[in-house]
Short mmCIF file of all heavy atoms in Angstrom, two decimals:
data_model
loop_
_atom_site.label_atom_id
_atom_site.label_comp_id
_atom_site.label_asym_id
_atom_site.label_seq_id
_atom_site.Cartn_x
_atom_site.Cartn_y
_atom_site.Cartn_z
N GLY A 320 18.52 -11.70 -25.24
CA GLY A 320 19.15 -10.41 -25.21
C GLY A 320 18.14 -9.27 -25.01
O GLY A 320 16.99 -9.38 -25.44
N ALA A 321 18.57 -8.18 -24.43
CA ALA A 321 17.68 -7.05 -24.15
C ALA A 321 17.04 -6.52 -25.49
O ALA A 321 17.72 -6.45 -26.51
CB ALA A 321 18.51 -5.92 -23.50
N GLY A 322 15.79 -6.19 -25.39
CA GLY A 322 15.09 -5.59 -26.50
C GLY A 322 14.67 -6.60 -27.56
O GLY A 322 14.21 -6.20 -28.64
N SER A 323 14.71 -7.89 -27.29
CA SER A 323 14.39 -8.92 -28.30
C SER A 323 12.90 -9.11 -28.40
O SER A 323 12.14 -8.93 -27.46
CB SER A 323 15.04 -10.24 -27.91
OG SER A 323 16.45 -10.14 -27.91
N VAL A 324 12.47 -9.51 -29.57
CA VAL A 324 11.08 -9.97 -29.81
C VAL A 324 11.19 -11.44 -30.28
O VAL A 324 11.68 -11.73 -31.39
CB VAL A 324 10.35 -9.11 -30.88
CG1 VAL A 324 8.97 -9.65 -31.13
CG2 VAL A 324 10.29 -7.65 -30.43
N VAL A 325 10.75 -12.37 -29.44
CA VAL A 325 10.94 -13.76 -29.70
C VAL A 325 9.66 -14.29 -30.34
O VAL A 325 8.61 -14.38 -29.71
CB VAL A 325 11.26 -14.56 -28.40
CG1 VAL A 325 11.59 -16.00 -28.75
CG2 VAL A 325 12.42 -13.89 -27.67
N THR A 326 9.77 -14.63 -31.60
CA THR A 326 8.59 -15.10 -32.38
C THR A 326 8.60 -16.60 -32.68
O THR A 326 7.62 -17.16 -33.11
CB THR A 326 8.53 -14.34 -33.72
OG1 THR A 326 9.72 -14.60 -34.48
CG2 THR A 326 8.43 -12.84 -33.49
N LYS A 327 9.78 -17.27 -32.51
CA LYS A 327 9.84 -18.72 -32.76
C LYS A 327 10.56 -19.41 -31.62
O LYS A 327 11.19 -18.78 -30.75
CB LYS A 327 10.57 -18.96 -34.10
CG LYS A 327 12.02 -18.64 -34.08
CD LYS A 327 12.66 -19.00 -35.44
CE LYS A 327 14.15 -18.80 -35.39
NZ LYS A 327 14.83 -19.19 -36.67
N SER A 328 10.48 -20.73 -31.61
CA SER A 328 10.98 -21.53 -30.50
C SER A 328 12.47 -21.87 -30.70
O SER A 328 12.97 -21.99 -31.81
CB SER A 328 10.20 -22.83 -30.40
OG SER A 328 8.84 -22.57 -30.06
N PHE A 329 13.13 -22.06 -29.57
CA PHE A 329 14.51 -22.53 -29.46
C PHE A 329 14.53 -23.61 -28.40
O PHE A 329 15.12 -23.46 -27.34
CB PHE A 329 15.47 -21.40 -29.12
CG PHE A 329 15.52 -20.30 -30.16
CD1 PHE A 329 14.57 -19.29 -30.14
CD2 PHE A 329 16.46 -20.29 -31.18
CE1 PHE A 329 14.58 -18.28 -31.11
CE2 PHE A 329 16.47 -19.32 -32.14
CZ PHE A 329 15.53 -18.28 -32.11
N PRO A 330 13.90 -24.75 -28.71
CA PRO A 330 13.67 -25.77 -27.64
C PRO A 330 14.93 -26.46 -27.20
O PRO A 330 14.93 -27.10 -26.10
CB PRO A 330 12.73 -26.78 -28.30
CG PRO A 330 12.96 -26.59 -29.81
CD PRO A 330 13.26 -25.12 -29.98
N GLU A 331 16.01 -26.37 -27.93
CA GLU A 331 17.25 -27.05 -27.54
C GLU A 331 17.92 -26.32 -26.38
O GLU A 331 18.71 -26.93 -25.62
CB GLU A 331 18.22 -27.15 -28.74
CG GLU A 331 18.75 -25.82 -29.25
CD GLU A 331 17.81 -24.99 -30.05
OE1 GLU A 331 16.70 -25.44 -30.33
OE2 GLU A 331 18.20 -23.87 -30.45
N GLY A 332 17.64 -25.07 -26.22
CA GLY A 332 18.21 -24.26 -25.13
C GLY A 332 19.71 -24.11 -25.24
O GLY A 332 20.34 -24.27 -26.28
N PHE A 333 20.37 -23.74 -24.13
CA PHE A 333 21.80 -23.50 -24.06
C PHE A 333 22.28 -22.62 -25.20
O PHE A 333 23.20 -23.00 -25.95
CB PHE A 333 22.55 -24.80 -23.96
CG PHE A 333 22.43 -25.46 -22.60
CD1 PHE A 333 21.42 -26.37 -22.43
CD2 PHE A 333 23.24 -25.14 -21.57
CE1 PHE A 333 21.25 -27.01 -21.16
CE2 PHE A 333 23.11 -25.73 -20.36
CZ PHE A 333 22.12 -26.68 -20.12
N CYS A 334 21.65 -21.45 -25.32
CA CYS A 334 22.03 -20.55 -26.36
C CYS A 334 21.68 -19.12 -25.98
O CYS A 334 20.90 -18.88 -25.03
CB CYS A 334 21.31 -20.88 -27.67
SG CYS A 334 19.51 -20.85 -27.61
N VAL A 335 22.25 -18.14 -26.71
CA VAL A 335 21.90 -16.75 -26.59
C VAL A 335 21.18 -16.34 -27.82
O VAL A 335 21.62 -16.58 -28.97
CB VAL A 335 23.17 -15.87 -26.40
CG1 VAL A 335 22.78 -14.41 -26.29
CG2 VAL A 335 24.00 -16.32 -25.21
N ILE A 336 19.98 -15.75 -27.65
CA ILE A 336 19.22 -15.26 -28.78
C ILE A 336 19.02 -13.78 -28.59
O ILE A 336 18.96 -13.26 -27.49
CB ILE A 336 17.86 -16.02 -28.92
CG1 ILE A 336 16.96 -15.77 -27.70
CG2 ILE A 336 18.11 -17.49 -29.11
CD1 ILE A 336 15.58 -16.39 -27.83
N ALA A 337 18.85 -13.08 -29.72
CA ALA A 337 18.69 -11.61 -29.64
C ALA A 337 18.13 -11.09 -30.98
O ALA A 337 18.27 -11.76 -32.03
CB ALA A 337 19.97 -10.92 -29.28
N GLY A 338 17.51 -9.91 -30.94
CA GLY A 338 17.06 -9.24 -32.13
C GLY A 338 15.55 -9.23 -32.25
O GLY A 338 14.82 -9.77 -31.47
N ASN A 339 15.10 -8.65 -33.40
CA ASN A 339 13.71 -8.57 -33.74
C ASN A 339 13.53 -8.85 -35.24
O ASN A 339 13.87 -8.02 -36.07
CB ASN A 339 13.13 -7.17 -33.42
CG ASN A 339 11.65 -7.05 -33.74
OD1 ASN A 339 11.00 -8.03 -34.07
ND2 ASN A 339 11.16 -5.84 -33.64
#
Side-chain angles (χ1 to χ4, degrees):
S323 298
V324 178
V325 186
T326 60
K327 68 176 185 178
S328 296
F329 297 84
E331 68 283 357
F333 287 92
C334 62
V335 180
I336 63 174
N339 181 6

